[in-house]
Amino acid sequence: WHGNIRVQYDSYEASSLASGSDISVARLPKGAKVYDIIVHFDALGGSSTISVGDADSAARYIAATSTASAGQMSMSQEGAIDGVGYEQTAETDIILTTGGASISGTIKCVVMYSVE
């Protein structure tokens, strides 16, 4: 009731970024609750994946998803149920973690959250 959704946006240009790399896309304050994360991406490379999480869980919000073809993924569609409304106990970075292969291309990310 009467809450305010806040949005953080980031864009990242990957160039032969190694598999297993982390990309910080947002910094949330203590007490923030995440309600959706949307990631748009170019075709980043064959066998490549991205998961969305934080320092404690690489897939807290979205499990590893193929980025071999251009597209998008969102917490509201592919997301992990435990990530919905998850409350940050400290200031926390939202992190994209690459997997499967090195990636090259553009990634754009929107994080929607609230703070009471």
Side-chain angles (χ1 to χ4, degrees), residues 3-64:
N4 292 314
I5 293 291
R6 298 176 185 200
V7 177
Q8 288 191 38
Y9 166 82
D10 197 12
S11 178
Y12 184 83
E13 191 64 38
S15 179
S16 299
L17 186 64
S19 176
S21 296
D22 290 336
I23 305 165
S24 179
V25 294
R27 178 159 293 161
L28 304 184
K30 178 181 178 180
K33 293 181 181 178
V34 175
Y35 292 103
D36 205 2
I37 297 174
I38 303 164
V39 181
H40 292 264
F41 48 87
D42 288 340
L44 299 178
S47 303
S48 67
T49 64
I50 289 179
S51 62
V52 184
D54 55 35
D56 292 331
S57 173
R60 180 177 310 283
Y61 303 106
I62 303 173

Side-chain angles (χ1 to χ4, degrees), residues 28-105:
L28 304 184
K30 178 181 178 180
K33 293 181 181 178
V34 175
Y35 292 103
D36 205 2
I37 297 174
I38 303 164
V39 181
H40 292 264
F41 48 87
D42 288 340
L44 299 178
S47 303
S48 67
T49 64
I50 289 179
S51 62
V52 184
D54 55 35
D56 292 331
S57 173
R60 180 177 310 283
Y61 303 106
I62 303 173
T65 301
S66 174
T67 55
S69 299
Q72 73 172 13
M73 58 181 154
S74 68
M75 196 170 104
S76 58
Q77 295 294 314
E78 295 87 16
I81 192 166
D82 291 337
V84 178
Y86 180 82
E87 185 171 350
Q88 309 303 319
T89 58
E91 184 176 78
T92 304
D93 286 348
I94 301 299
I95 299 169
L96 308 182
T97 301
T98 65
S102 65
I103 64 169
S104 293

